[in-house]
Amino acid sequence: MLANHIQNGIESARVAWSRIPNSDESQFVDHDGVGLLKKNDGSAVESLDYEVIENFAYREEQAHRRRKLYVSYLLVVKWFFALLIGICTGLAAVFINISVENFAGWKYSVTFNIIQKSYVAGFIVYILINLVLVYSSVYIITQFSPAAAGSGIPEIKGYLNGVDTHGILLFRTLIGKVFGSIGSVGGGLALGKEGPLVHTGACIASLLGQGGSTKYHLNSRWFNVFKSDRDRRDLVTCGCAAGVAAAFRAPVGGVLFALEEVTSWWRSQLMWRVFFTSAIVAVVVRTAMGWCKSGKCGHFGSGGFIIWDVSDGQEDYSFAELLPMAIIGVIGGLLGALFNQLTLYITTWRRNHLHKKGNRVKIIEACLVSLLTSVISFGLPLLRKCSPCPEPDPTSGIECPRPPGMYGNYVNFYCSKDNEYNDLATIFFNTQDDAIRNLFSAKTINEYSSQSLLTFLVMFYALAVVTFGTAVPAGQFVPGIMIGSTYGRLVGMFVVKYYRKLNIEEGTYALLGAASFLGGSMRMTVSLCVIMVEITNNLKLLPLIMLVLLISKAVGDAFNDGIYEEQARLRGIPLLESKPKYEMRNMIAKEACGSGRVVSFPRVVKVSDVFSILQSNTHNGFPVIEHTRSGEPLVIGLVLRSHLLVILQSKVDFQHSPLPSDPRAGGRSIRHDSGEFAKPVSSKGICLDDIHLTSEDLEMYIDLAPFLNPSPYIVPEDMSLTKVYNLFRQLGLRHLFVVPRPSRVVGLITRKDLLIEDAENVNTLELRATSVRTLHQNKRLTARNADVERPLLNGLLS
């Protein structure tokens, strides 16, 4: 009997674990005319509330807290959080890099020692070590944190665009991202740790903003200051920039990456905090590297953090070289677009046929990819004939061949003589950071043969395509640099032979090739240009990098979208791009609303009616209607579903009378603050199943006036959908009212009406309210005191 109970308990636990939503198993559905992300468990991912809900609770809170001292306190706390995000992200990056370098260094050291006696034994040990590391990574992802798979950049981009994908910012996602990246990158897969570092920084920022993790009892109420989605969005933006700054040691590149690639909403105050966070990351990483130079970090050395110094490379270039450089840009655009398309096809096939079969198939798949990668990286150099070492040059500081297990050029692998090296093993049988450093290296002309570079390009390109989409944390920066630097060096070899000039370096063309492939795949320009300059420490190559990036992006855009946009679309994340579709120019707002009936509430509504409406549909916003004395219905505001759930669960706002009450007249005080209505990041918030109402509760009433947003954004029904799109995206809205053409004008606001003249009483730190008005009583806006006749509601965009 006891054994049966234990077995039943194990089975129940397995069933419960299998119901955990997996971010890799989502699809985009159209629900009630509104695009939502639908999980397999039936839960829809909601939009974020970036708009300030200026209800009575918010206004009373602002009246008590909007003093100079409190505003200064908030500003200091925001900068303090930026400091913490930078320190924590930098420490996480140091931990990941030290762990990866030690695992990889130990792996290659053991393998090199064994192959001195037997290449077969070394091959087996090499495969087993990679399998163990990759298995640990995929096991953590499938069994503990499914949302940590992939790079995480499409999900974070969706979050900053206004789409709340559940699970992407949890504590277990952070743990899975950190340890999963160590296993997958240390296991030699054709992926990088830079994309996961961006996701790691975002998770750290989100967890700090909500005071930690309540599920794992790692929280503190002292950190739980910012509860709105607007403030959390700013923190996550700082975390994204910190992740890039930590991955590439490029603080300016991190700021530009957050501005160009992931954020949809930007302001000058946020720019300063993001820049400060990236600077803190640079200081932490620099300090850690200085500490590790003393040998306290094991195998971690100059190859740990990405910094490929090519300052001693080609110093100048001729006008004739611009043609092959432009050709590199075209090649990067073509190969980048092809990479995006192939990964899209393979990921779609993998999701429809493999990943539906469960976690066991995901684990087997990752292990098979690891086995294939190990066989190719170890086996292909065995088929390559070794080359004699060049004449030693004391000024270059390059040793040929290098000692086994040490970083550098000229690897002696399966060579019959001691003064020979294997050029294919120099790239393949090496960590990706060291291989890129070898490809970028100057003063190493004729180190690689064109056959070896072409072989590596084809095989590694295929491995990167196959590896992308497996259930492990995976970044595409370093694999893209590997691919681009390979064909860039190939072009450089032909340029050297054709022009016959001594000042042409193959490593310079390898750098341009890396930039071109990243531009052709990711479609970034400004941020990628700055990142490449920062990691190579060569400002002279800036115009050339700009040239190849512009060409590769233009070529790639002719075929498909960037890899992050493609993957976001595949994951069902409804991103609002910066530019509306061309078809919207011929549409109006009323056409976008559809023919569905708008579900609304009266101002005083019965509890049973609220519960019934919430149960019968999944809308997240409801107009509130109040009838005038003549019986005409007027829209008085918008109430959110999450606010109604809080009211139903607390029950403190229930009343017996069906008549409205006015909190401003002293009828009753507001029993909630704005923080109670904020949805926690670490959970899905309140659902109807959590609410238990008695028959007496259902017969009571709720006055919705204190909880609704009395000033929602409104557009006329005949407004161009292009204008509506820009308004919706730039303001970060969740709902937008569509009304008939208004018949009355109660005032006209110009620029001068929005300027505050009394400079002595104005606090110019950071205004959280969405409206601005003067402090002079005699200059208040006419629209504030006017009895505005609100038009009937025609539709609701969300």
Side-chain angles (χ1 to χ4, degrees):
M1 292 293 292
L2 180 60
N4 291 336
H5 284 297
I6 295 176
Q7 184 65 25
N8 292 335
I10 295 175
E11 292 298 327
S12 300
R14 289 178 178 175
V15 172
W17 189 264
S18 66
R19 293 176 179 173
I20 295 178
N22 192 332
S23 62
D24 283 343
E25 299 175 354
S26 59
Q27 57 183 354
F28 184 73
V29 298
D30 188 53
H31 188 85
D32 291 340
V34 181
L36 295 176
L37 185 63
K38 194 84 170 181
K39 300 284 185 178
N40 282 345
D41 61 355
S43 60
V45 174
E46 301 179 7
S47 298
L48 293 167
D49 293 317
Y50 288 156
E51 180 186 0
V52 174
I53 307 300
E54 295 181 324
N55 52 24
F56 292 151
Y58 174 82
R59 290 177 178 176
E60 281 197 353
E61 182 178 317
Q62 294 303 302
H64 290 88
R65 295 184 177 182
R66 226 43 198 155
R67 300 182 178 92
K68 286 186 177 181
L69 182 61
Y70 183 76
V71 174
S72 302
Y73 164 74
L74 283 181
L75 187 60
V76 171
V77 170
K78 288 182 179 180
W79 284 92
F80 177 68
F81 270 72
L83 173 68
L84 288 182
I85 293 170
I87 294 175
C88 295
T89 305
L91 292 177
V94 169
F95 174 74
I96 293 174
N97 278 276
I98 290 178
S99 302
V100 168
E101 287 295 311
N102 276 280
F103 276 121
W106 172 76
K107 174 182 65 177
Y108 287 115
S109 179
V110 170
T111 304
F112 268 112
N113 290 332
I114 295 177
I115 63 177
Q116 303 301 321
K117 302 177 182 178
S118 173
Y119 274 87
V120 176
F123 178 58
I124 295 175
V125 170
Y126 180 73
I127 289 177
L128 291 177
I129 293 176
N130 284 337
L131 275 176
V132 170
L133 291 173
V134 173
Y135 177 81
S136 65
S137 175
V138 69
Y139 186 84
I140 291 173
I141 298 302
T142 55
Q143 303 298 326
F144 181 67
S145 55
S151 69
I153 294 180
E155 288 82 1
I156 299 302
K157 187 173 182 178
Y159 181 87
L160 296 177
N161 193 258
V163 182
D164 185 13
T165 307
H166 177 69
I168 63 170
L169 298 175
L170 301 182
F171 177 74
R172 64 175 181 176
T173 303
L174 172 63
I175 298 299
K177 212 72 179 181
V178 171
F179 290 97
S181 299
I182 294 173
S184 61
V185 179
L189 294 180
L191 44 82
K193 55 184 178 296
E194 289 68 36
L197 266 175
V198 176
H199 194 178
T200 300
C203 290
I204 290 174
S206 177
L207 290 171
L208 287 175
Q210 65 175 338
S213 173
T214 56
K215 180 178 180 180
Y216 298 98
H217 305 289
L218 299 173
N219 61 321
S220 173
R221 63 184 182 89
W222 298 103
F223 288 94
N224 193 8
V225 179
F226 304 110
K227 299 180 181 180
S228 68
D229 290 332
R230 291 164 61 91
D231 293 327
R232 289 171 180 168
R233 173 186 60 185
D234 292 349
L235 294 177
V236 171
T237 304
C238 292
C240 291
V244 176
F248 297 102
R249 288 178 58 191
V252 180
V255 176
L256 293 176
F257 176 83
L259 172 61
E260 179 183 7
E261 185 61 24
V262 293
T263 59
S264 302
W265 192 82
W266 197 262
R267 53 180 175 159
S268 58
Q269 296 95 337
L270 180 60
M271 168 79 81
W272 283 107
R273 290 205 301 273
V274 171
F275 186 77
F276 175 71
T277 305
S278 301
I280 295 299
V281 171
V283 172
V284 172
V285 171
R286 186 66 179 240
T287 304
M289 291 190 66
W291 183 70
C292 289
K293 285 183 178 179
S294 59
K296 299 178 182 179
C297 301
H299 290 276
F300 181 82
S302 58
F305 277 93
I306 296 178
I307 183 72
W308 302 299
D309 195 342
V310 295
S311 58
D312 58 344
Q314 185 172 336
E315 296 183 356
D316 198 5
Y317 51 89
S318 62
F319 181 79
E321 292 182 68
L322 295 181
L323 177 60
M325 293 174 181
I327 294 176
I328 289 179
V330 174
I331 296 174
L334 294 175
L335 291 182
L338 178 63
F339 182 85
N340 294 355
Q341 204 65 33
L342 290 177
T343 53
L344 180 64
Y345 288 153
I346 293 180
T347 305
T348 304
W349 176 85
R350 177 185 282 126
R351 184 164 302 178
N352 294 336
H353 296 86
L354 289 182
H355 289 179
K356 284 185 176 181
K357 298 180 180 179
N359 292 333
R360 181 179 298 177
V361 175
K362 296 180 182 179
I363 295 175
I364 295 174
E365 178 200 20
C367 292
L368 288 177
V369 172
S370 173
L371 180 62
L372 177 64
T373 305
S374 300
V375 170
I376 291 177
S377 61
F378 194 99
L380 283 183
L382 296 175
L383 305 177
R384 179 65 185 166
K385 184 179 178 181
C386 292
S387 304
C389 288
E391 293 295 330
D393 184 6
T395 60
S396 65
I398 298 176
E399 184 179 359
C400 181
R402 76 174 189 186
M406 299 296 292
Y407 125 83
N409 301 69
Y410 303 111
V411 177
N412 184 287
F413 185 82
Y414 203 61
C415 299
S416 57
K417 299 180 181 179
D418 293 338
N419 62 339
E420 293 182 337
Y421 73 98
N422 191 318
D423 60 344
L424 194 56
T426 303
I427 323 174
F428 251 131
F429 200 67
N430 214 334
T431 62
Q432 294 183 20
D433 292 351
D434 290 344
I436 294 172
R437 189 173 287 103
N438 295 338
L439 290 170
F440 282 0
S441 61
K443 309 296 188 294
T444 55
I445 296 179
N446 299 325
E447 177 182 359
Y448 304 99
S449 65
S450 57
Q451 295 87 350
S452 296
L453 290 177
L454 189 59
T455 301
F456 177 80
L457 174 62
V458 173
M459 299 308 299
F460 191 83
Y461 191 95
L463 287 176
V465 170
V466 173
T467 307
F468 189 87
T470 53
V472 293
Q476 289 304 309
F477 277 101
V478 170
I481 294 175
M482 287 279 289
I483 295 171
S485 58
T486 304
Y487 68 74
R489 185 134 188 154
L490 268 172
V491 175
M493 292 174 60
F494 289 108
V495 172
V496 170
K497 292 181 180 179
Y498 180 77
Y499 288 100
R500 302 181 183 276
K501 293 183 178 180
L502 298 178
N503 63 336
I504 296 179
E505 287 288 350
E506 298 173 1
T508 300
Y509 285 83
L511 168 64
L512 298 179
S516 69
F517 185 83
L518 292 178
S521 176
M522 300 179 182
R523 313 292 161 80
M524 296 186 299
T525 53
V526 180
S527 59
L528 187 57
C529 182
V530 174
I531 289 174
M532 296 301 294
V533 170
E534 287 187 285
I535 64 180
T536 55
N537 194 23
N538 194 336
L539 191 60
K540 298 177 182 178
L541 300 179
L542 177 61
L544 303 180
I545 296 175
M546 295 171 63
L547 173 67
V548 297
L549 281 175
L550 291 173
I551 295 176
S552 62
K553 184 183 186 303
V555 173
D557 286 339
F559 295 94
N560 50 31
D561 293 329
I563 189 170
Y564 297 137
E565 288 77 13
E566 295 283 359
Q567 294 300 316
R569 190 178 300 113
L570 180 64
R571 286 168 168 80
I573 302 174
L575 289 179
L576 291 180
E577 300 296 338
S578 58
K579 186 178 180 180
K581 299 295 183 182
Y582 181 81
E583 295 78 6
M584 292 184 178
R585 297 182 179 182
N586 300 322
M587 300 177 62
I588 60 176
K590 183 178 180 179
E591 297 175 357
C593 296
S595 58
R597 184 177 63 88
V598 179
V599 181
S600 61
F601 287 112
R603 172 178 173 174
V604 181
V605 60
K606 204 171 185 179
V607 174
S608 59
D609 295 337
V610 175
F611 191 86
S612 175
I613 291 178
L614 294 181
Q615 199 172 32
S616 60
N617 65 77
T618 58
H619 296 315
N620 293 299
F622 303 90
V624 179
I625 308 297
E626 187 176 23
H627 289 81
T628 62
R629 294 179 180 179
S630 60
E632 182 183 0
L634 298 176
V635 180
I636 63 173
L638 174 76
V639 64
L640 296 179
R641 182 187 188 91
S642 58
H643 292 191
L644 292 174
L645 292 174
V646 172
I647 297 170
L648 291 179
Q649 188 184 52
S650 65
K651 302 181 182 180
V652 296
D653 299 288
F654 293 177
Q655 63 183 36
H656 294 282
S657 173
L659 300 177
S661 60
D662 189 1
R664 293 174 296 183
R668 58 187 178 94
S669 60
I670 301 298
R671 301 182 177 92
H672 302 275
D673 57 47
S674 58
E676 296 182 42
F677 297 111
K679 187 178 78 69
V681 180
S682 58
S683 67
K684 296 182 180 180
I686 305 173
C687 61
L688 280 176
D689 297 334
D690 302 327
I691 299 174
H692 305 283
L693 300 174
T694 63
S695 57
E696 296 180 357
D697 295 333
L698 295 175
E699 296 298 322
M700 299 185 74
Y701 295 87
I702 304 174
D703 184 6
L704 298 179
F707 312 103
L708 57 83
N709 182 7
S711 55
Y713 288 94
I714 298 175
V715 296
E717 61 180 351
D718 56 350
M719 177 181 282
S720 167
L721 193 58
T722 302
K723 286 187 176 181
V724 175
Y725 184 97
N726 293 328
L727 177 69
F728 197 95
R729 185 183 185 275
Q730 293 175 8
L731 294 178
L733 302 181
R734 185 177 184 180
H735 304 96
L736 187 62
F737 281 177
V738 179
V739 299
R741 172 65 64 178
S743 59
R744 291 180 54 193
V745 177
V746 297
L748 184 65
I749 296 178
T750 61
R751 181 182 297 269
K752 65 181 181 61
D753 299 315
L754 300 177
L755 297 177
I756 301 178
E757 299 175 359
D758 192 355
E760 297 179 356
N761 299 324
V762 174
N763 195 329
T764 60
L765 294 177
E766 289 192 44
L767 299 177
R768 296 176 59 188
T770 57
S771 61
V772 181
R773 60 174 181 174
T774 61
L775 299 181
H776 294 294
Q777 296 295 329
N778 58 344
K779 291 187 178 182
R780 291 186 178 181
L781 298 180
T782 307
R784 178 71 66 182
N785 296 326
D787 184 12
V788 181
E789 182 179 350
R790 294 180 175 87
L792 294 177
L793 187 67
N794 198 4
L796 178 64
L797 284 176
S798 61

